[in-house]
Amino acid sequence: VHTFDMSTYNLSVGGGAASTGGITVPTRTVFTQTSGTTKVYSSSGTSTIGGAGTTKFYDFQIGNTSDGATYTFNLGGDVGASNSFTLAAGTHTLGLSSYEFGVWENWTMGAGTSLSAQIGTLNLGDTNSTTLTCSTNCEPYNLTINKTSGTDSNDNVTLASNLIVRNTLTIT
Protein backbone atom coordinates (compact mmCIF):
# COMPACT_ATOMS: atom_id res chain seq x y z
CA VAL A 1 0.00 0.00 0.00
CA HIS A 2 1.30 3.45 -0.93
CA THR A 3 0.35 6.29 1.41
CA PHE A 4 0.31 10.03 0.76
CA ASP A 5 -0.30 11.54 4.20
CA MET A 6 -1.01 15.26 4.08
CA SER A 7 -1.16 15.36 7.89
CA THR A 8 -2.16 18.92 8.87
CA TYR A 9 -0.95 20.70 5.73
CA ASN A 10 -2.85 22.44 2.93
CA LEU A 11 -2.79 21.33 -0.70
CA SER A 12 -3.83 23.23 -3.83
CA VAL A 13 -4.08 21.35 -7.13
CA GLY A 14 -4.66 22.97 -10.50
CA GLY A 15 -5.11 26.55 -11.55
CA GLY A 16 -3.47 28.29 -14.44
CA ALA A 17 -4.41 28.26 -18.10
CA ALA A 18 -3.66 24.62 -18.97
CA SER A 19 -4.49 22.83 -15.75
CA THR A 20 -7.14 20.17 -15.29
CA GLY A 21 -6.61 19.98 -11.52
CA GLY A 22 -7.64 16.39 -10.77
CA ILE A 23 -6.48 14.05 -8.01
CA THR A 24 -6.19 10.39 -9.01
CA VAL A 25 -5.77 7.77 -6.29
CA PRO A 26 -5.07 4.32 -7.77
CA THR A 27 -5.65 0.88 -6.24
CA ARG A 28 -3.56 0.12 -3.15
CA THR A 29 -2.97 3.83 -2.53
CA VAL A 30 -4.17 5.94 0.38
CA PHE A 31 -4.54 9.73 0.28
CA THR A 32 -5.33 11.08 3.73
CA GLN A 33 -5.43 14.44 5.50
CA THR A 34 -6.05 14.86 9.25
CA SER A 35 -6.57 18.64 9.16
CA GLY A 36 -5.88 21.42 6.70
CA THR A 37 -7.59 22.17 3.39
CA THR A 38 -7.33 20.65 -0.07
CA LYS A 39 -8.48 22.96 -2.89
CA VAL A 40 -8.87 21.77 -6.46
CA TYR A 41 -9.14 24.08 -9.47
CA SER A 42 -9.41 23.56 -13.19
CA SER A 43 -9.24 26.06 -16.03
CA SER A 44 -11.87 24.19 -18.04
CA GLY A 45 -12.98 20.75 -19.02
CA THR A 46 -13.58 17.76 -16.78
CA SER A 47 -11.32 16.35 -14.06
CA THR A 48 -11.48 13.34 -11.75
CA ILE A 49 -11.25 13.22 -7.96
CA GLY A 50 -10.37 9.92 -6.29
CA GLY A 51 -10.08 6.47 -7.76
CA ALA A 52 -9.89 2.84 -6.69
CA GLY A 53 -7.71 3.75 -3.68
CA THR A 54 -8.75 5.50 -0.45
CA THR A 55 -9.33 9.26 -0.69
CA LYS A 56 -10.03 11.13 2.55
CA PHE A 57 -9.71 14.88 2.86
CA TYR A 58 -10.23 17.02 5.95
CA ASP A 59 -11.61 20.25 4.45
CA PHE A 60 -12.17 19.87 0.71
CA GLN A 61 -13.00 22.71 -1.68
CA ILE A 62 -13.64 22.67 -5.40
CA GLY A 63 -13.32 25.92 -7.28
CA ASN A 64 -12.68 29.52 -6.45
CA THR A 65 -15.42 32.16 -6.45
CA SER A 66 -13.21 34.83 -7.98
CA ASP A 67 -11.60 33.13 -10.98
CA GLY A 68 -14.61 32.98 -13.33
CA ALA A 69 -13.65 29.50 -14.60
CA THR A 70 -16.05 26.63 -15.21
CA TYR A 71 -15.19 23.43 -13.34
CA THR A 72 -16.63 19.96 -13.79
CA PHE A 73 -15.28 17.31 -11.43
CA ASN A 74 -16.39 13.69 -11.37
CA LEU A 75 -15.66 11.20 -8.63
CA GLY A 76 -13.44 8.34 -9.74
CA GLY A 77 -14.12 6.36 -6.56
CA ASP A 78 -15.55 6.84 -3.08
CA VAL A 79 -14.34 10.09 -1.50
CA GLY A 80 -14.61 11.42 2.05
CA ALA A 81 -14.20 14.75 3.80
CA SER A 82 -13.87 14.27 7.56
CA ASN A 83 -14.72 17.90 8.25
CA SER A 84 -16.31 19.93 5.45
CA PHE A 85 -16.89 20.16 1.70
CA THR A 86 -17.38 23.37 -0.29
CA LEU A 87 -18.30 23.68 -3.95
CA ALA A 88 -17.39 27.36 -4.34
CA ALA A 89 -19.84 29.78 -5.96
CA GLY A 90 -19.50 29.90 -9.74
CA THR A 91 -20.19 27.61 -12.67
CA HIS A 92 -18.96 24.46 -10.98
CA THR A 93 -20.37 20.92 -11.14
CA LEU A 94 -19.60 17.86 -9.05
CA GLY A 95 -20.59 14.51 -10.58
CA LEU A 96 -20.96 11.60 -8.16
CA SER A 97 -21.24 8.96 -10.91
CA SER A 98 -21.98 5.72 -9.03
CA TYR A 99 -19.75 6.52 -6.06
CA GLU A 100 -20.24 7.70 -2.49
CA PHE A 101 -19.19 11.11 -1.20
CA GLY A 102 -19.03 11.08 2.60
CA VAL A 103 -18.98 14.33 4.58
CA TRP A 104 -18.83 14.25 8.35
CA GLU A 105 -19.64 17.88 9.10
CA ASN A 106 -20.68 20.66 6.70
CA TRP A 107 -21.67 20.46 3.02
CA THR A 108 -21.86 23.81 1.19
CA MET A 109 -22.72 24.49 -2.44
CA GLY A 110 -22.35 28.12 -3.50
CA ALA A 111 -24.48 30.11 -5.94
CA GLY A 112 -24.43 28.81 -9.52
CA THR A 113 -23.09 25.36 -8.62
CA SER A 114 -24.73 22.00 -9.22
CA LEU A 115 -24.52 18.42 -8.05
CA SER A 116 -24.80 15.91 -10.88
CA ALA A 117 -26.03 13.01 -8.81
CA GLN A 118 -26.12 10.35 -11.55
CA ILE A 119 -26.57 7.25 -9.35
CA GLY A 120 -24.16 8.16 -6.55
CA THR A 121 -24.77 8.65 -2.84
CA LEU A 122 -24.18 11.63 -0.59
CA ASN A 123 -23.47 10.29 2.90
CA LEU A 124 -23.65 12.59 5.93
CA GLY A 125 -22.20 10.64 8.82
CA ASP A 126 -20.29 10.69 12.12
CA THR A 127 -21.27 11.97 15.56
CA ASN A 128 -20.92 15.71 14.85
CA SER A 129 -23.71 18.05 13.81
CA THR A 130 -23.92 18.72 10.07
CA THR A 131 -25.32 21.64 8.09
CA LEU A 132 -26.34 21.05 4.46
CA THR A 133 -26.35 24.34 2.52
CA CYS A 134 -27.13 24.52 -1.20
CA SER A 135 -27.83 27.69 -3.16
CA THR A 136 -29.24 25.81 -6.16
CA ASN A 137 -29.33 22.37 -7.78
CA CYS A 138 -28.75 20.27 -4.66
CA GLU A 139 -30.24 17.01 -5.87
CA PRO A 140 -28.37 13.91 -4.73
CA TYR A 141 -29.60 10.64 -6.20
CA ASN A 142 -29.30 8.86 -2.84
CA LEU A 143 -28.85 10.60 0.50
CA THR A 144 -27.80 8.67 3.59
CA ILE A 145 -27.86 10.37 6.97
CA ASN A 146 -25.95 8.09 9.31
CA LYS A 147 -25.55 9.80 12.66
CA THR A 148 -24.21 7.36 15.22
CA SER A 149 -25.01 9.00 18.56
CA GLY A 150 -28.68 8.93 19.43
CA THR A 151 -28.07 9.89 23.05
CA ASP A 152 -27.25 13.57 22.62
CA SER A 153 -27.94 16.57 20.42
CA ASN A 154 -24.44 16.80 18.95
CA ASP A 155 -25.15 14.82 15.81
CA ASN A 156 -28.05 16.64 14.18
CA VAL A 157 -28.43 17.42 10.49
CA THR A 158 -29.71 20.90 9.67
CA LEU A 159 -30.98 21.81 6.21
CA ALA A 160 -30.15 25.41 5.36
CA SER A 161 -31.88 25.30 1.95
CA ASN A 162 -34.26 23.25 -0.19
CA LEU A 163 -33.24 19.70 -0.99
CA ILE A 164 -34.44 17.17 -3.57
CA VAL A 165 -33.44 13.52 -3.20
CA ARG A 166 -33.88 11.82 -6.60
CA ASN A 167 -34.07 8.22 -5.38
CA THR A 168 -33.67 7.09 -1.77
CA LEU A 169 -33.35 8.95 1.53
CA THR A 170 -31.95 6.70 4.26
CA ILE A 171 -31.82 7.86 7.89
CA THR A 172 -30.09 5.64 10.43
PDB file of all heavy atoms in Angstrom, residues 8-26:
ATOM      1  N   THR A   8      -1.411  17.695   8.559  1.00  0.00           N
ATOM      2  CA  THR A   8      -2.160  18.921   8.865  1.00  0.00           C
ATOM      3  C   THR A   8      -1.924  20.021   7.831  1.00  0.00           C
ATOM      4  O   THR A   8      -2.282  21.170   8.064  1.00  0.00           O
ATOM      5  CB  THR A   8      -1.769  19.455  10.250  1.00  0.00           C
ATOM      6  OG1 THR A   8      -0.373  19.786  10.228  1.00  0.00           O
ATOM      7  CG2 THR A   8      -2.045  18.425  11.325  1.00  0.00           C
ATOM      8  N   TYR A   9      -1.339  19.683   6.698  1.00  0.00           N
ATOM      9  CA  TYR A   9      -0.951  20.701   5.730  1.00  0.00           C
ATOM     10  C   TYR A   9      -2.028  20.929   4.671  1.00  0.00           C
ATOM     11  O   TYR A   9      -2.909  20.106   4.460  1.00  0.00           O
ATOM     12  CB  TYR A   9       0.376  20.314   5.066  1.00  0.00           C
ATOM     13  CG  TYR A   9       1.487  20.263   6.085  1.00  0.00           C
ATOM     14  CD1 TYR A   9       1.897  19.059   6.617  1.00  0.00           C
ATOM     15  CD2 TYR A   9       2.078  21.435   6.548  1.00  0.00           C
ATOM     16  CE1 TYR A   9       2.897  19.008   7.583  1.00  0.00           C
ATOM     17  CE2 TYR A   9       3.069  21.401   7.507  1.00  0.00           C
ATOM     18  CZ  TYR A   9       3.476  20.188   8.022  1.00  0.00           C
ATOM     19  OH  TYR A   9       4.444  20.142   8.977  1.00  0.00           O
ATOM     20  N   ASN A  10      -1.925  22.074   4.003  1.00  0.00           N
ATOM     21  CA  ASN A  10      -2.849  22.441   2.932  1.00  0.00           C
ATOM     22  C   ASN A  10      -2.285  21.990   1.590  1.00  0.00           C
ATOM     23  O   ASN A  10      -1.073  21.896   1.412  1.00  0.00           O
ATOM     24  CB  ASN A  10      -3.067  23.953   2.895  1.00  0.00           C
ATOM     25  CG  ASN A  10      -3.716  24.460   4.161  1.00  0.00           C
ATOM     26  OD1 ASN A  10      -4.559  23.798   4.748  1.00  0.00           O
ATOM     27  ND2 ASN A  10      -3.332  25.641   4.589  1.00  0.00           N
ATOM     28  N   LEU A  11      -3.179  21.735   0.639  1.00  0.00           N
ATOM     29  CA  LEU A  11      -2.791  21.334  -0.704  1.00  0.00           C
ATOM     30  C   LEU A  11      -3.683  22.044  -1.700  1.00  0.00           C
ATOM     31  O   LEU A  11      -4.910  22.062  -1.548  1.00  0.00           O
ATOM     32  CB  LEU A  11      -2.951  19.812  -0.867  1.00  0.00           C
ATOM     33  CG  LEU A  11      -2.749  19.234  -2.263  1.00  0.00           C
ATOM     34  CD1 LEU A  11      -1.298  19.396  -2.705  1.00  0.00           C
ATOM     35  CD2 LEU A  11      -3.166  17.770  -2.309  1.00  0.00           C
ATOM     36  N   SER A  12      -3.087  22.657  -2.711  1.00  0.00           N
ATOM     37  CA  SER A  12      -3.833  23.227  -3.834  1.00  0.00           C
ATOM     38  C   SER A  12      -3.393  22.501  -5.092  1.00  0.00           C
ATOM     39  O   SER A  12      -2.193  22.331  -5.333  1.00  0.00           O
ATOM     40  CB  SER A  12      -3.560  24.723  -3.989  1.00  0.00           C
ATOM     41  OG  SER A  12      -4.098  25.430  -2.910  1.00  0.00           O
ATOM     42  N   VAL A  13      -4.368  22.070  -5.907  1.00  0.00           N
ATOM     43  CA  VAL A  13      -4.082  21.345  -7.133  1.00  0.00           C
ATOM     44  C   VAL A  13      -4.790  22.052  -8.269  1.00  0.00           C
ATOM     45  O   VAL A  13      -5.994  22.318  -8.189  1.00  0.00           O
ATOM     46  CB  VAL A  13      -4.565  19.875  -7.047  1.00  0.00           C
ATOM     47  CG1 VAL A  13      -4.313  19.150  -8.356  1.00  0.00           C
ATOM     48  CG2 VAL A  13      -3.883  19.161  -5.893  1.00  0.00           C
ATOM     49  N   GLY A  14      -4.059  22.344  -9.329  1.00  0.00           N
ATOM     50  CA  GLY A  14      -4.661  22.970 -10.502  1.00  0.00           C
ATOM     51  C   GLY A  14      -4.482  24.470 -10.492  1.00  0.00           C
ATOM     52  O   GLY A  14      -3.702  25.026  -9.749  1.00  0.00           O
ATOM     53  N   GLY A  15      -5.242  25.113 -11.357  1.00  0.00           N
ATOM     54  CA  GLY A  15      -5.107  26.549 -11.546  1.00  0.00           C
ATOM     55  C   GLY A  15      -4.211  26.809 -12.744  1.00  0.00           C
ATOM     56  O   GLY A  15      -3.487  25.940 -13.208  1.00  0.00           O
ATOM     57  N   GLY A  16      -4.275  27.982 -13.275  1.00  0.00           N
ATOM     58  CA  GLY A  16      -3.473  28.289 -14.444  1.00  0.00           C
ATOM     59  C   GLY A  16      -4.211  27.913 -15.718  1.00  0.00           C
ATOM     60  O   GLY A  16      -5.198  27.196 -15.706  1.00  0.00           O
ATOM     61  N   ALA A  17      -3.710  28.365 -16.823  1.00  0.00           N
ATOM     62  CA  ALA A  17      -4.405  28.256 -18.099  1.00  0.00           C
ATOM     63  C   ALA A  17      -4.559  26.833 -18.617  1.00  0.00           C
ATOM     64  O   ALA A  17      -5.528  26.524 -19.284  1.00  0.00           O
ATOM     65  CB  ALA A  17      -3.690  29.102 -19.139  1.00  0.00           C
ATOM     66  N   ALA A  18      -3.615  25.947 -18.355  1.00  0.00           N
ATOM     67  CA  ALA A  18      -3.657  24.617 -18.966  1.00  0.00           C
ATOM     68  C   ALA A  18      -3.967  23.503 -17.979  1.00  0.00           C
ATOM     69  O   ALA A  18      -3.868  22.343 -18.317  1.00  0.00           O
ATOM     70  CB  ALA A  18      -2.317  24.335 -19.640  1.00  0.00           C
ATOM     71  N   SER A  19      -4.350  23.838 -16.782  1.00  0.00           N
ATOM     72  CA  SER A  19      -4.490  22.830 -15.747  1.00  0.00           C
ATOM     73  C   SER A  19      -5.857  22.168 -15.745  1.00  0.00           C
ATOM     74  O   SER A  19      -6.870  22.805 -15.939  1.00  0.00           O
ATOM     75  CB  SER A  19      -4.251  23.472 -14.384  1.00  0.00           C
ATOM     76  OG  SER A  19      -4.528  22.547 -13.370  1.00  0.00           O
ATOM     77  N   THR A  20      -5.875  20.856 -15.486  1.00  0.00           N
ATOM     78  CA  THR A  20      -7.142  20.165 -15.290  1.00  0.00           C
ATOM     79  C   THR A  20      -7.403  19.874 -13.822  1.00  0.00           C
ATOM     80  O   THR A  20      -8.518  19.533 -13.459  1.00  0.00           O
ATOM     81  CB  THR A  20      -7.174  18.836 -16.071  1.00  0.00           C
ATOM     82  OG1 THR A  20      -6.070  18.042 -15.670  1.00  0.00           O
ATOM     83  CG2 THR A  20      -7.141  19.089 -17.558  1.00  0.00           C
ATOM     84  N   GLY A  21      -6.427  19.986 -12.961  1.00  0.00           N
ATOM     85  CA  GLY A  21      -6.609  19.981 -11.524  1.00  0.00           C
ATOM     86  C   GLY A  21      -7.212  18.758 -10.871  1.00  0.00           C
ATOM     87  O   GLY A  21      -7.838  18.892  -9.843  1.00  0.00           O
ATOM     88  N   GLY A  22      -7.063  17.567 -11.393  1.00  0.00           N
ATOM     89  CA  GLY A  22      -7.636  16.388 -10.773  1.00  0.00           C
ATOM     90  C   GLY A  22      -6.705  15.757  -9.756  1.00  0.00           C
ATOM     91  O   GLY A  22      -5.529  16.082  -9.669  1.00  0.00           O
ATOM     92  N   ILE A  23      -7.260  14.853  -8.947  1.00  0.00           N
ATOM     93  CA  ILE A  23      -6.475  14.049  -8.011  1.00  0.00           C
ATOM     94  C   ILE A  23      -6.865  12.593  -8.256  1.00  0.00           C
ATOM     95  O   ILE A  23      -8.009  12.218  -8.028  1.00  0.00           O
ATOM     96  CB  ILE A  23      -6.756  14.429  -6.548  1.00  0.00           C
ATOM     97  CG1 ILE A  23      -6.352  15.883  -6.273  1.00  0.00           C
ATOM     98  CG2 ILE A  23      -6.027  13.476  -5.601  1.00  0.00           C
ATOM     99  CD1 ILE A  23      -6.701  16.359  -4.875  1.00  0.00           C
ATOM    100  N   THR A  24      -5.926  11.792  -8.732  1.00  0.00           N
ATOM    101  CA  THR A  24      -6.191  10.391  -9.014  1.00  0.00           C
ATOM    102  C   THR A  24      -5.510   9.538  -7.956  1.00  0.00           C
ATOM    103  O   THR A  24      -4.321   9.689  -7.704  1.00  0.00           O
ATOM    104  CB  THR A  24      -5.667  10.010 -10.412  1.00  0.00           C
ATOM    105  OG1 THR A  24      -6.306  10.855 -11.370  1.00  0.00           O
ATOM    106  CG2 THR A  24      -5.975   8.566 -10.732  1.00  0.00           C
ATOM    107  N   VAL A  25      -6.291   8.656  -7.341  1.00  0.00           N
ATOM    108  CA  VAL A  25      -5.772   7.775  -6.292  1.00  0.00           C
ATOM    109  C   VAL A  25      -5.985   6.332  -6.743  1.00  0.00           C
ATOM    110  O   VAL A  25      -7.098   5.814  -6.677  1.00  0.00           O
ATOM    111  CB  VAL A  25      -6.472   8.053  -4.941  1.00  0.00           C
ATOM    112  CG1 VAL A  25      -5.895   7.170  -3.846  1.00  0.00           C
ATOM    113  CG2 VAL A  25      -6.353   9.533  -4.566  1.00  0.00           C
ATOM    114  N   PRO A  26      -4.918   5.672  -7.223  1.00  0.00           N
ATOM    115  CA  PRO A  26      -5.074   4.323  -7.774  1.00  0.00           C
ATOM    116  C   PRO A  26      -5.237   3.252  -6.693  1.00  0.00           C
ATOM    117  O   PRO A  26      -5.076   3.502  -5.502  1.00  0.00           O
ATOM    118  CB  PRO A  26      -3.777   4.116  -8.551  1.00  0.00           C
ATOM    119  CG  PRO A  26      -2.799   5.040  -7.938  1.00  0.00           C
ATOM    120  CD  PRO A  26      -3.576   6.192  -7.381  1.00  0.00           C
TER     121      PRO A  26
END
